[in-house]
Amino acid sequence: MSALIDPSELQHEIEIRWLEDPEKLDYVRQVLDRLSSRKGRPPYHRDGRMVGYAILGPEAKASPASGTWRRRVFWLAPHDRDQQPAGVYAFGAPSEAVDPSTIAPTVKGEKTERSQGGPASPAMIELGITLPRL
């Protein structure tokens, strides 16, 4: 989940490789996976589809215990807003969802009004919480 991604775990990213145009997506799900390589397209084992992934530089070291690297993978589930605009995420978004326009190498994605499906809720406004506008 994006809230649990420690920015220090992104320090060796050198590229985000998109498989789909991120400008056409309101949000993507962001997760750190343990992968068998630091570069190249990783295998994908979730329901839905992978839409992007991070490439790590040569200074990134594999875990001594598992021999794997932690890399970000961006994905969408079949019931996400891009496939079902009037579905469960017509408003709001999954907890790990971030706006793809806020993603860059070494930069954790952020939630925005775009990713959350509209302007801030009355409760957020009452608490003084705002999301960045795009």
Side-chain angles (χ1 to χ4, degrees):
M1 293 185 191
S2 65
L4 301 178
I5 292 179
D6 181 344
S8 69
E9 293 192 86
L10 309 180
Q11 67 182 332
H12 298 297
E13 290 182 346
I14 59 171
E15 180 183 349
I16 302 297
R17 182 130 338 135
W18 292 106
L19 302 173
E20 296 184 23
D21 183 355
E23 292 300 314
K24 294 181 179 180
L25 301 170
D26 290 346
Y27 65 80
V28 295
R29 293 171 185 252
Q30 169 180 259
V31 67
L32 274 172
D33 278 347
R34 288 219 169 267
L35 300 169
S36 61
S37 70
R38 62 178 177 77
K39 58 184 182 177
R41 185 176 178 158
Y44 184 72
H45 305 290
R46 291 181 176 83
D47 191 21
R49 67 192 195 278
M50 180 171 46
V51 296
Y53 55 90
I55 303 286
L56 303 180
E59 69 284 352
K61 303 294 183 226
S63 164
S66 67
T68 60
W69 288 262
R70 286 184 47 92
R71 290 171 52 195
R72 279 193 296 175
V73 172
F74 307 100
W75 62 288
L76 291 166
H79 58 275
D80 280 327
R81 193 180 312 144
D82 72 306
Q83 294 295 308
Q84 295 185 14
V88 66
Y89 293 120
F91 298 99
S95 62
E96 68 273 19
V98 295
D99 185 332
S101 70
T102 66
I103 296 168
T106 73
V107 178
K108 182 172 85 166
E110 300 294 333
K111 294 182 181 302
T112 63
E113 284 188 12
R114 172 185 169 193
S115 70
Q116 297 304 294
S121 69
M124 288 177 65
I125 293 168
E126 185 177 320
L127 293 170
I129 301 170
T130 57
L131 295 170
R133 286 190 174 268
L134 292 182

